[in-house]
Amino acid sequence: AEFLDSVLVREFDSPQARERRAWRFQRQGKLAESLAELAKVLRREPKRPRALVIRAQILLEAGRMPEAARAARLGLGLVDDADHRALLAIEARALGALGDDKGLRNVLDTLQGLAGADPVLLTQRYLLEADIARANRRPGHAFRALSQAFELNDDPATLRQMAELADSLGHRNEAARLFDRLCRLGSPDTVGMCAKRDALRSPGGP
């Protein structure tokens, strides 16, 4: 019984258990409890990458943008590789929400430098920029970033976002051209894409 008790206590107190509880508390709207769990982890392991990323992400999802940006920035010097990029992405989203265009540009430039010539990482960087631009109601900026992502990785999902943005911007010819490309792909959603193309080409269309 004593051995079982020690195992249960150790599991309850483990970093992984506290990180899981932090997410659960966040989903329940208990931000203070969530951050308290992570604080206990980081007191023991100040450089634990997963806890650093989770803390910044939870603050971001809670709408605490200044704190999210600060938490991400503080964690950058303590992690590397994928965790480093994850914190930069969180910082970028927070800065975008705060309207800090200069700070956002600096972070995006850093992500681009880290990506080097890797098409997957570069695509992720441009998709992140597009997502932030959409959140900030800058559809033209978002379209340009999506176009750059599509040049690197011709993903139909990106092409569809481009088509829908062109349509929302009132660029009927461009939207029709993009929907036509989607129509020709033969995907399960082809019928809907063809119908949107035809509607845009119709004189009485939307």
Side-chain angles (χ1 to χ4, degrees):
E2 289 182 6
F3 173 75
L4 180 59
D5 287 346
S6 68
V7 170
L8 291 173
V9 168
R10 188 165 62 248
E11 171 58 23
F12 180 84
D13 197 37
S14 71
Q16 295 88 344
R18 289 194 180 281
E19 288 162 352
R20 288 194 296 270
R21 284 198 296 277
W23 278 122
R24 186 167 67 250
F25 281 136
Q26 166 64 2
R27 289 194 295 271
Q28 295 170 350
K30 299 176 179 179
L31 181 61
E33 291 90 337
S34 176
L35 295 175
E37 290 289 349
L38 294 170
K40 290 174 184 176
V41 174
L42 290 169
R43 272 198 296 272
R44 294 181 183 177
E45 299 182 49
K47 297 182 180 182
R48 183 174 172 82
R50 180 172 169 78
L52 290 166
V53 173
I54 291 173
R55 181 178 63 178
Q57 183 66 37
I58 282 175
L59 287 166
L60 181 75
E61 293 182 9
R64 304 273 284 268
M65 299 306 173
E67 292 167 84
R70 188 162 53 251
R73 175 55 50 178
L74 289 172
L76 285 172
L78 304 173
V79 302
D80 52 29
D81 299 333
D83 295 310
H84 192 85
R85 292 192 298 273
L87 285 172
L88 283 169
I90 292 169
E91 184 183 17
R93 291 183 185 279
L95 292 173
L98 291 168
D100 185 348
D101 290 342
K102 182 178 179 181
L104 172 59
R105 175 54 51 189
N106 287 337
V107 175
L108 290 173
D109 287 346
T110 300
L111 279 167
Q112 185 151 350
L114 290 173
D118 187 320
V120 174
L121 295 180
L122 284 171
T123 298
Q124 291 173 355
R125 172 251 184 266
Y126 285 118
L127 290 176
L128 173 65
E129 182 177 5
D131 200 27
I132 293 170
R134 276 200 302 269
N136 290 342
R137 296 185 174 85
R138 296 177 178 176
H141 186 152
F143 184 86
R144 290 190 294 275
L146 286 170
S147 299
Q148 289 172 298
F150 188 71
E151 286 179 12
L152 292 160
N153 181 6
D154 54 352
D155 182 357
T158 303
L159 184 61
R160 179 168 183 169
Q161 291 181 64
M162 291 168 61
E164 291 172 345
L165 270 175
D167 189 15
S168 72
L169 288 165
H171 300 161
R172 291 172 58 91
N173 292 337
E174 178 65 6
R177 183 183 71 81
L178 295 170
F179 279 122
D180 181 60
R181 289 185 65 177
L182 286 163
C183 174
R184 294 172 186 273
L185 290 177
S187 67
D189 208 15
T190 293
V191 174
M193 300 302 98
C194 296
K196 289 186 177 183
R197 175 203 61 190
D198 295 342
L200 286 163
R201 287 178 173 174
S202 170

